[in-house]
Amino acid sequence: LDRFCSFDQSEPCYAALEHKLNLQMVLDASEYDLKLIKIINNRHDDPICRVKNGKIKECDLYKNGTQATVTNGTLIIKHVIRADSGKYRLEHYDGGRETSRGLQVIVEAPIGSVEVSIICSSSGVMRVSCSSEGDQLLYSWTLNGDPLMDGNSSIDLDEKTDGNISCSVKNHISHSQKTIRVKPCPDVSLAALGYVALILILPLIIICYIYKKQHFKSTSAAAGDALIYADISHEKKGEKKETDSFPADVVYAAVIMQTKRKEEEEEDEDEDKVQDREVMFTPNCSNAL
């Protein structure tokens, strides 16, 4: 991106931002006393650079050696910045004769990476867009090698377009290009039908979920509040249970039914068994007495 310009040219000089600019003033600077003026207010206090015997002697524009040097009558700007844009006038003296020439310098940022994107619209149009960094961008398009409309950063194609599309971006100092594969857009009617079906089904799913949740809560509450009474008595092995009178060690208890039953654990054969909601246990010593 190093640029070469001359004060002999009539067209503007385009320089790449943050790159080098070689600006030829004369073929041999040792033969002339040169004065480079940047025209800002067109007054005597405009910044100047004086070159004598091929070397920079005095310069308001650049720091000698670090920002600019002169080699064989060419001013070399090592790192172009935005402020380097403008109109310049070169004055040189040869044997008492003064000659002046002008040059317009324009600084542009070079092209960055090119990105291409595709959007399919419901109206049956495929829109292809191109973007990049840089100044004064110019766009051009090709589809399968055939040129399309130039100048715009986006282009509209038929939704059935299939092939390779290329976007070329350029300005006065650089250019870049990107090619991607385009395929026909999906059928919009099928996608819309699926979307409508989803809208209709989703409320039904939500209502069903809420109904089941409320029904489960009401069933759990009804079962959890039920009370039953169990005959809790103790019966020794080998003794016949009397049915006409209640033994002294019979206790009646209210048992609250739980909605969830725990897994029954296996008990040893010699332990008392619970049958017909009767719980048998060994009474304490005080009852036995």
Side-chain angles (χ1 to χ4, degrees):
L1 292 176
D2 292 352
R3 305 291 295 176
F4 297 86
C5 297
S6 172
F7 274 91
D8 291 333
Q9 67 186 55
S10 57
E11 65 274 8
C13 170
Y14 290 93
L17 182 65
E18 299 181 354
H19 290 271
K20 186 186 294 184
L21 173 62
N22 299 274
L23 189 58
Q24 186 181 52
M25 298 179 292
V26 294
L27 295 177
D28 187 1
S30 62
E31 300 179 358
Y32 305 96
D33 290 338
L34 304 175
K35 184 167 64 173
L36 180 63
I37 306 171
K38 184 176 183 181
I39 301 174
I40 299 177
N41 300 316
N42 201 19
R43 299 187 309 184
H44 67 279
D45 58 350
D46 287 340
I48 64 172
C49 268
R50 299 182 185 274
V51 179
K52 189 173 184 179
N53 297 327
K55 296 181 180 180
I56 298 178
K57 297 297 184 180
E58 177 187 352
C59 188
D60 301 327
L61 294 172
Y62 318 103
K63 292 181 180 180
N64 187 21
T66 59
Q67 293 182 344
T69 58
V70 173
T71 302
N72 295 329
T74 299
L75 176 67
I76 302 173
I77 304 175
K78 298 180 179 180
H79 190 82
V80 173
I81 60 176
R82 294 282 187 184
D84 291 329
S85 294
K87 294 182 178 181
Y88 293 83
R89 183 173 71 246
L90 176 64
E91 298 178 353
H92 58 89
Y93 302 88
D94 180 19
R97 185 181 62 180
E98 178 182 343
T99 305
S100 66
R101 289 170 291 179
L103 181 65
Q104 176 76 39
V105 176
I106 301 174
V107 176
E108 287 186 353
I111 303 297
S113 60
V114 178
E115 299 296 334
V116 180
S117 60
I118 301 175
I119 297 178
C120 293
S121 66
S122 57
S123 60
V125 175
M126 177 191 298
R127 169 156 292 189
V128 186
S129 301
C130 186
S131 62
S132 178
E133 298 177 348
D135 295 331
Q136 304 297 323
L137 303 181
L138 298 175
Y139 298 89
S140 61
W141 298 87
T142 61
L143 178 61
N144 296 325
D146 298 327
L148 300 174
M149 181 179 60
D150 293 344
N152 295 328
S153 61
S154 61
I155 186 171
D156 292 339
L157 303 174
D158 184 81
E159 62 178 348
K160 301 300 182 182
T161 301
D162 189 359
N164 294 321
I165 189 166
S166 297
C167 173
S168 297
V169 186
K170 67 177 182 178
N171 57 13
H172 295 91
I173 58 175
S174 63
H175 69 277
S176 186
Q177 176 180 302
K178 185 168 185 177
T179 301
I180 65 170
R181 175 75 176 179
V182 294
K183 297 181 179 180
C185 294
D187 193 343
V188 179
S189 59
L190 294 178
L193 183 61
Y195 180 73
V196 172
L198 179 61
I199 294 178
L200 296 177
I201 294 174
L202 187 60
L204 295 178
I205 297 176
I206 297 175
I207 293 173
C208 182
Y209 172 76
I210 295 175
Y211 172 77
K212 288 185 176 181
K213 189 175 181 180
Q214 292 179 348
H215 180 70
F216 176 77
K217 287 183 177 180
S218 60
T219 304
S220 300
D225 294 337
L227 297 178
I228 65 171
Y229 291 90
D231 182 9
I232 305 174
S233 62
H234 172 69
E235 180 181 2
K236 294 183 179 180
K237 294 182 180 179
E239 294 184 357
K240 184 177 180 181
K241 181 179 178 182
E242 298 180 0
T243 58
D244 53 349
S245 62
F246 296 103
D249 54 357
V250 173
V251 179
Y252 285 89
V255 181
I256 301 178
M257 299 295 294
Q258 302 296 325
T259 58
K260 294 185 179 179
R261 295 183 178 181
K262 298 183 179 178
E263 296 182 358
E264 298 180 356
E265 299 180 354
E266 295 183 357
E267 299 179 351
D268 298 332
E269 293 182 357
D270 55 275
E271 292 181 353
D272 296 336
K273 297 181 180 179
V274 177
Q275 297 177 348
D276 297 329
R277 296 180 180 174
E278 294 181 0
V279 181
M280 293 176 288
F281 65 93
T282 302
N284 56 31
C285 295
S286 59
N287 291 334
L289 296 175

